[in-house]
């Protein structure tokens, strides 16, 4: 399964990834991977509904959806996931405050 890969890809530390954005040398630690293209859209003959494939990443109990694997595994997407978790953790303190 690819789920083991997903958790490993983030465990190398989103903090380092955000720091490297400022200095932009193109040499990256991991070489660019060739991901297979997503499956074609499927149109259901019964009702005409269009089913589109999505690439899904599960991290820290949150599901993230992307159009392609390449997009979902990009450095930008990994940074966004990291930042969204940091933001939601900050908000939880407020939300879980006092609800009567």
């Amino acid at each position: 399964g690819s789920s083991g890969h997903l958790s490993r890809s983030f465990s190398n530390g989103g903090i380092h990834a955000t720091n490297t954005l400022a200095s932009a040398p193109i040499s990256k630690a991991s070489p660019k991977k060739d991901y297979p293209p997503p499956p074609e859209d499927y149109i259901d003959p019964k009702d005409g509904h269009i089913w589109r494939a999505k690439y899904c990443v599960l991290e820290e109990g949150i599901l993230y959806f992307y159009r392609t694997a390449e997009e979902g595994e990009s450095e930008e997407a990994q940074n966004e996931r990291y930042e969204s978790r940091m933001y939601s953790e900050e908000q939880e303190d407020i939300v879980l405050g006092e609800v009567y």
Side-chain angles (χ1 to χ4, degrees):
S2 60
S3 60
H5 166 72
L6 294 175
S7 58
R8 266 198 312 273
S9 71
F10 186 73
S11 66
N12 63 7
I15 296 166
H16 301 298
T18 50
N19 292 342
T20 56
L21 288 178
S23 61
I26 297 181
S27 62
K28 284 180 61 173
S30 58
K32 186 171 170 59
K33 294 183 184 154
D34 289 325
Y35 294 100
E40 294 293 314
D41 292 352
Y42 172 76
I43 300 174
D44 191 323
K46 288 185 228 123
D47 59 9
H49 181 82
I50 301 173
W51 292 92
R52 291 188 172 91
K54 298 283 186 219
Y55 183 74
C56 181
V57 176
L58 173 65
E59 284 184 359
E60 305 288 326
I62 303 171
L63 283 173
Y64 300 89
F65 292 90
Y66 300 92
R67 286 175 297 195
T68 65
E70 188 173 353
E71 192 177 291
E73 293 297 321
S74 70
E75 197 171 335
E76 183 180 8
Q78 291 179 35
N79 289 340
E80 283 180 352
R81 291 195 296 268
Y82 176 75
E83 288 169 13
S84 76
R85 283 198 302 278
M86 294 303 101
Y87 177 77
S88 68
E89 285 176 14
E90 289 172 16
Q91 296 305 308
E92 275 179 18
D93 296 339
I94 300 163
V95 174
L96 297 176
E98 313 205 24
V99 181
Y100 292 103

